[in-house]
Amino acid sequence: EPEVTQTPSHQVTQMGQEVILRCVPISNHLYFYWYRQILGQKVEFLVSFYNNEISEKSEIFDDQFSVERPDGSNFTLKIRSTKLEDSAMYFCASSEGVRGLETQYFGPGTRLLVL
Amino acid sequence: AQSVAQPEDQVNVAEGNPLTVKCTYSVSGNPYLFWYVQYPNRGLQFLLKYITGDNLVKGSYGFEAEFNKSQTSFHLKKPSALVSDSALYFCAVRDPSGGSYIPTFGRGTSLIVHP
């Protein structure tokens, strides 16, 4: 069964450093998402992406964040200058469609720790 | 606005007993409702969804959920729990009458099935 994959599984970084989280969505999916989950809290939506542009973003997704699909398979989330409060589990997801009833398929997550 | 609540942080049940994981929601229209499961070190996996039609929805691994509009609930159930069902369960809701295609997730409920 096709899966969404994410690398790295864990990342430790110093405050102020840039990090890039990588995802490979399911190959025939057209819509991509990033979510995050701070320990013990809700899964929070960050951004959705379709046709090489952002479709929706939440208030969390400020100028420090950016997303990119640099080639035909990868989907990346960049945090330009990490803050302590960016420490969380980051999940990538993809879906065939985006009408809201299509199933989103999630990757295993990247645990980011900002020191 | 759409919101979802999972009132229990943890549910404990003995193997072989029925289990229920609770979810309540708030939307202005008719909801789309989802359940996901997260096993350790894995991404969220889709279990089942309610879009329209029969209020009882059957999903993967023997799970089912009942949409109750009057109680605004979508509780996840299984007649006989297995130790392997121990995981983190997330409920999610989307209001199709809203402007967003993105579901809102609950905080998750940890299900522990004791042998």
Side-chain angles (χ1 to χ4, degrees), chain A residues 25-94:
Chain A
I26 294 174
S27 60
N28 64 332
H29 286 184
L30 300 177
Y31 298 87
F32 315 120
Y33 314 84
W34 283 102
Y35 291 83
R36 78 173 186 190
Q37 185 182 28
I38 295 171
L39 189 63
Q41 298 187 25
K42 292 184 180 186
V43 175
E44 301 172 294
F45 167 71
L46 293 177
V47 65
S48 63
F49 191 85
Y50 169 68
N51 200 26
N52 284 320
E53 61 183 27
I54 291 173
S55 303
E56 292 187 59
K57 61 181 181 178
S58 71
E59 61 275 10
I60 301 168
F61 194 87
D62 60 23
D63 291 343
Q64 292 299 313
F65 291 89
S66 62
V67 288
E68 192 178 30
R69 188 152 164 83
D71 53 43
S73 59
N74 289 284
F75 178 51
T76 62
L77 174 70
K78 181 192 289 186
I79 309 175
R80 289 191 185 83
S81 178
T82 51
K83 301 187 277 266
L84 296 177
E85 55 265 37
D86 293 327
S87 296
M89 180 73 91
Y90 288 80
F91 294 106
C92 174
S94 68

Side-chain angles (χ1 to χ4, degrees), chain B residues 43-102:
Chain B
L44 280 69
Q45 295 178 37
F46 171 75
L47 276 180
L48 50 80
K49 64 184 175 186
Y50 171 83
I51 303 299
T52 187
D54 194 346
N55 289 344
L56 185 64
V57 179
K58 294 188 184 294
S60 307
Y61 312 120
F63 284 93
E64 60 188 28
E66 185 165 14
F67 170 59
N68 188 318
K69 188 171 183 177
S70 63
Q71 297 186 5
T72 62
S73 67
F74 190 57
H75 301 332
L76 182 70
K77 300 183 179 185
K78 187 174 182 181
S80 178
L82 300 172
V83 172
S84 57
D85 293 329
S86 298
L88 196 56
Y89 290 82
F90 292 93
C91 182
V93 67
R94 187 179 97 78
D95 183 351
S97 66
S100 171
Y101 290 106
I102 306 302

Side-chain angles (χ1 to χ4, degrees), chain B residues 2-25:
Chain B
Q2 58 193 35
S3 66
V4 63
Q6 294 181 242
E8 303 154 315
D9 289 334
Q10 184 171 302
V11 170
N12 292 276
V13 64
E15 187 174 31
N17 284 358
L19 69 87
T20 299
V21 183
K22 295 179 180 176
C23 172
T24 58
Y25 66 89

